[in-house]
Amino acid sequence: MSANFTNDMGTIIIQDNVIATIAGVSAMGTYGIVGMAAKNATDGLFELLKFENLSRGIKVSSENRKITIDIHVILQYGVNISVVADNLIDKVRFNVEEMTGLEVKDIHLHVQGIRLGE
């Protein structure tokens, strides 16, 4: 699915993977985030994604110019989870709304794991 809207100059279509990439880059720039997580369907384990595959850890759905984003992350051990979550949600919401002009209705953050050390 994609986000579509029309202005006086024509129709703009923003694909969900573009929104997912914006959200992924924003999330990776947040203190305390080690990486995005993708579920391995064969054994139910979560794997740490490389920078090129950030959008695999993000699900975007759009309806009536409103976006819902599910983000799966792995955090650094020792960080305050609620503070990191609030910072990440604020940063992703701001960047997606600023770059797309669409409203972010909800952001669901799923902490899939904690990573010890670097």
Side-chain angles (χ1 to χ4, degrees):
M1 189 125 194
S2 58
N4 302 331
F5 59 95
T6 304
N7 62 19
D8 58 344
M9 298 178 77
T11 302
I12 299 171
I13 301 169
I14 302 174
Q15 297 295 324
D16 287 346
N17 65 334
V18 172
I19 297 168
T21 300
I22 294 168
V25 171
S26 300
M28 288 303 295
T30 304
Y31 174 79
I33 302 296
V34 173
M36 307 303 290
K39 187 172 182 180
N40 183 340
T42 56
D43 53 13
L45 296 176
F46 287 87
E47 63 177 309
L48 186 63
L49 296 173
K50 304 254 187 264
F51 197 77
E52 306 84 46
N53 297 322
L54 292 180
S55 61
R56 280 186 48 214
I58 299 173
K59 179 184 174 214
V60 175
S61 54
S62 50
E63 183 178 328
N64 299 330
R65 292 189 65 174
K66 295 185 180 180
I67 301 169
T68 301
I69 304 172
D70 285 276
I71 303 174
H72 300 266
V73 297
I74 297 174
L75 300 181
Q76 179 66 41
Y77 176 79
V79 298
N80 184 319
I81 294 172
S82 63
V83 170
V84 171
D86 288 342
N87 290 339
L88 183 143
I89 289 169
D90 288 343
K91 189 172 194 175
V92 168
R93 181 182 308 277
F94 176 80
N95 286 336
V96 169
E97 288 180 347
E98 197 64 26
M99 291 183 189
T100 65
L102 301 170
E103 178 185 346
V104 176
K105 178 182 166 191
D106 290 314
I107 297 177
H108 305 282
L109 182 63
H110 306 269
V111 179
Q112 300 297 152
I114 302 289
R115 185 169 182 186
L116 300 172
E118 279 297 314

